[in-house]
Amino acid sequence: MDRLRVTGIRVAPLLRRALQQNETSPAMLSVCQQRLISSSNVHQQSAGVPKKLWELGKLNHVAIAVPDLTQATAMYRDVLGAKVSDAHEQPEHGVYTVFVELGNSKIELLHPLGANSPIQGFLDKNKSGGLHHICLEVSDINAAIKSVQAAKVRCLGKEPKIGAHGKPVMFLHPKDCGGVLIELEEEMLRKIPRCEKCFRENSGLVKLRRFSSKKLDVPWNVMFFGSDAFSVKNAEALNDVRGTSVERLEIVSKNPGASRIGKFAKCSGLPVHRWPVKLEPNHDFDVGVVASFGHLLPRELIESFPWGILNVHASLLPRWRGAAPVPRAILNGDTFTGATIMRIHPHRFDVGEILAQRQCIIDSDETTETLLMKIADVGSLLLLEVLKDLPKSFADMKAQPTTGVRLAPKLKPEEARVNWNSSSRCIDLQCRAISSTYPIVTQWTGLIGDIRLLELKFIAEAEISAVSPVLQKLTPGSFRYLKSAKAIGARAMR
């Protein structure tokens, strides 16, 4: 069998009924006359049964919880000869993951990360580890959720979350699924033709009349979505080429009066729209551009632009997908990162096709603020190159690699708390990555709450005696108040 199919898996009766029921509405059928679904992923429907608005795909992976991740990885790699990925932290899910490639599917090895990891509870009951869940692909996660809920299958959550592959996922209650925890993951089951116009026409996602006058050359009418200094840098670049690559530029902001992008638009005399924006069906914008906007764009808005919406992302995708790619790169100790111009997909975060990428170096003293502006400079130039020949950029765009995915969730306040048992390098990375978002703090024995650290100065071992004899007496991981210096002296582990 050349492909592992979901039909070979026993599915609980309630889930089976959910997969078979029809969710198609007449209103949607009038717009989407057909769906271009890859034939290798589609289950043939019985005669007379209308098509659903979503399709069930293949088995994506089987997840196994393991008590020893290193040992399990070595077994699959060295004993069975499989190709395995590096271990990746997924802090928002409380797990370490390693993927074992099997050609037509994968095995996901799960190991606890943090004290509150859900995998730890599983291992407490199953000391040797074991099957944790299976993951099935679906073409539309939201439509699939409505379908299974209508069949009385409980979902473990109100909204989809971003999984280890950077795609929306939802878990189904094992008691409703024959005792098996099932993960649904949204996948692009449609085969994307090289020609973007053909893709949109064949998929029926947009009314064809919108492309009768689709522009194929500059200048473009651009709608820009932004918020902060990173956004402003890209908007400035677009404003500078008005009359050449850009004909008309308008800005979208959640708070036009207070945001940096709103103030830039006012100073530059650009029209500003307050988010959420509603455009007329016959608007004449050619393409949308997003840079550090922070809001999920609805499918209808994305598909109303003939060339879709582009995103200027501050990393080399697929590494650091998510809301905080710059601080995560610094926190991880990366030596380089970059900018990516990608195509936005509805309901999917940072997984769209790549139109262009460019690398930049992370200096040893780089902070989130300085690196963000460095990437903004690179990204804004890259954006202009893409817009200069948009049809060619779309023709040459490539899907993101399936390997090398790292997620960049938002920073949390607790990540700004210094642990003096860490190495001095880790503390340095922590301060440079997080201090622009949250104040760096530490805890003092006997005091309630945290002490805010206004400035951290790192002293070499050879210079400690000249600064304070007290510091020499400190054991690694300890700290003390230095009255003469009105400062806290601490000694890292190494």
Side-chain angles (χ1 to χ4, degrees):
M1 185 166 59
D2 64 338
R3 192 159 199 153
L4 186 60
R5 290 194 181 268
V6 176
T7 49
I9 297 176
R10 292 177 60 84
V11 182
L14 283 176
L15 181 60
R16 187 182 301 279
R17 288 199 297 273
L19 303 183
Q20 292 174 343
Q21 73 175 14
N22 173 40
E23 292 288 333
T24 307
S25 66
M28 284 299 296
L29 283 174
S30 66
V31 177
C32 302
Q33 295 296 326
Q34 59 178 329
R35 296 177 67 83
L36 185 62
I37 307 292
S38 173
S39 59
S40 63
N41 289 334
V42 175
H43 294 286
Q44 299 298 323
Q45 301 209 6
S46 302
V49 178
K51 290 185 178 180
K52 302 187 299 295
L53 288 181
W54 64 281
E55 298 290 341
L56 184 66
K58 68 185 180 77
L59 174 69
N60 184 282
H61 65 263
V62 174
I64 300 174
V66 297
D68 189 324
L69 188 59
T70 302
Q71 185 181 51
T73 301
M75 191 274 289
Y76 283 98
R77 182 188 61 230
D78 303 334
V79 178
L80 298 180
K83 180 181 178 181
V84 302
S85 70
D86 294 331
H88 295 303
E89 294 183 4
Q90 311 289 349
E92 66 277 19
H93 296 287
V95 296
Y96 290 97
T97 60
V98 169
F99 281 96
V100 181
E101 300 291 338
L102 299 177
N104 60 350
S105 191
K106 296 183 285 289
I107 294 175
E108 181 184 33
L109 304 180
L110 303 174
H111 185 72
L113 171 62
N116 299 320
S117 171
I119 301 303
Q120 187 59 59
F122 180 90
L123 291 175
D124 289 341
K125 298 177 182 178
N126 305 273
K127 301 297 183 183
S128 299
L131 176 67
H132 186 264
H133 69 267
I134 63 171
C135 177
L136 308 178
E137 296 178 359
V138 295
S139 60
D140 188 320
I141 190 71
N142 292 310
I145 289 171
K146 290 181 180 179
S147 184
V148 298
Q149 287 178 333
K152 307 302 182 183
V153 175
R154 287 170 288 178
C155 295
L156 301 181
K158 295 182 179 179
E159 299 290 339
K161 293 184 178 180
I162 300 303
H165 295 116
K167 302 170 185 177
V169 300
M170 175 61 76
F171 284 90
L172 308 183
H173 202 297
K175 290 186 178 180
D176 297 337
C177 302
V180 178
L181 178 63
I182 294 180
E183 178 186 18
L184 301 181
E185 178 178 283
E186 185 174 273
E187 289 286 336
M188 178 59 78
L189 300 182
R190 292 169 299 210
K191 185 177 180 181
I192 301 176
R194 188 172 181 80
C195 173
E196 174 68 7
K197 180 178 180 180
C198 293
F199 166 63
R200 288 176 173 267
E201 291 178 350
N202 291 335
S203 64
L205 289 176
V206 184
K207 294 180 180 179
L208 301 185
R209 64 179 177 81
R210 282 211 36 87
F211 296 98
S212 59
S213 59
K214 181 175 180 179
K215 289 175 62 176
L216 299 176
D217 200 0
V218 295
W220 311 107
N221 291 332
V222 180
M223 175 164 277
F224 183 88
F225 302 76
S227 60
D228 55 16
F230 184 86
S231 307
V232 170
K233 183 71 70 171
N234 286 276
E236 285 176 341
L238 293 173
N239 196 40
D240 288 343
V241 295
R242 278 201 294 168
T244 53
S245 294
V246 174
E247 182 173 345
R248 192 169 94 250
L249 177 63
E250 298 189 14
I251 306 296
V252 177
S253 170
K254 183 178 180 180
N255 191 348
S259 67
R260 292 194 181 187
I261 192 67
K263 293 176 180 178
F264 162 76
K266 183 178 180 180
C267 292
S268 304
L270 298 174
V272 183
H273 303 263
R274 183 179 293 275
W275 179 259
V277 63
K278 291 185 178 180
L279 299 179
E280 295 296 327
N282 59 345
H283 72 76
D284 62 348
F285 287 100
D286 302 301
V287 64
V289 175
V290 167
S292 189
F293 186 51
H295 297 279
L296 183 65
L297 305 185
R299 180 187 295 271
E300 294 77 13
L301 179 62
I302 297 171
E303 292 168 353
S304 73
F305 291 84
W307 288 103
I309 298 181
L310 308 180
N311 180 28
V312 184
H313 187 77
S315 80
L316 296 175
L317 292 171
R319 188 173 181 84
W320 304 127
R321 291 174 176 169
V326 175
R328 293 296 174 190
I330 295 176
L331 201 56
N332 192 64
D334 291 0
T335 56
F336 66 91
T337 184
T340 299
I341 309 299
M342 56 157 283
R343 178 172 172 262
I344 286 184
H345 285 189
H347 307 302
R348 310 182 77 196
F349 303 86
D350 301 332
V351 297
E353 296 80 16
I354 295 173
L355 283 76
Q357 283 187 318
R358 188 159 296 157
Q359 179 180 310
C360 66
I361 301 299
I362 301 178
D363 293 327
S364 59
D365 60 347
E366 203 85 71
T367 66
T368 291
E369 290 176 311
T370 60
L371 182 57
L372 193 64
M373 289 301 97
K374 183 187 291 187
I375 298 175
D377 287 333
V378 172
S380 60
L381 293 176
L382 205 57
L383 175 62
L384 297 184
E385 292 177 14
V386 167
L387 292 176
K388 191 174 182 180
D389 195 343
L390 198 54
K392 184 178 185 303
S393 297
F394 266 84
D396 294 338
M397 70 180 179
K398 298 178 181 179
Q400 292 188 32
T402 57
T403 58
V405 176
R406 293 293 300 271
L407 301 186
K410 286 183 178 180
L411 295 173
K412 298 178 181 179
E414 53 266 31
E415 293 183 86
R417 185 175 291 112
V418 173
N419 179 4
W420 301 110
N421 289 316
S422 302
S423 68
S424 57
R425 171 169 168 72
C426 286
I427 296 172
D428 178 43
L429 294 174
Q430 179 184 16
C431 296
R432 291 193 281 112
I434 301 176
S435 60
S436 60
T437 305
Y438 295 109
I440 304 300
V441 298
T442 190
Q443 290 183 318
W444 190 277
T445 304
L447 291 180
I448 299 175
D450 295 321
I451 297 175
R452 181 173 178 176
L453 304 179
L454 301 178
E455 181 183 359
L456 274 77
K457 181 178 181 181
F458 293 88
I459 303 170
E461 189 73 27
E463 302 173 0
I464 290 179
S465 59
V467 175
S468 173
V470 177
L471 289 178
Q472 283 189 309
K473 301 176 182 179
L474 292 178
T475 57
S478 62
F479 57 97
R480 185 172 298 175
Y481 179 67
L482 305 178
K483 188 175 181 179
S484 59
K486 295 183 179 180
I488 295 175
R491 194 176 189 118
M493 288 298 293
R494 55 191 183 279

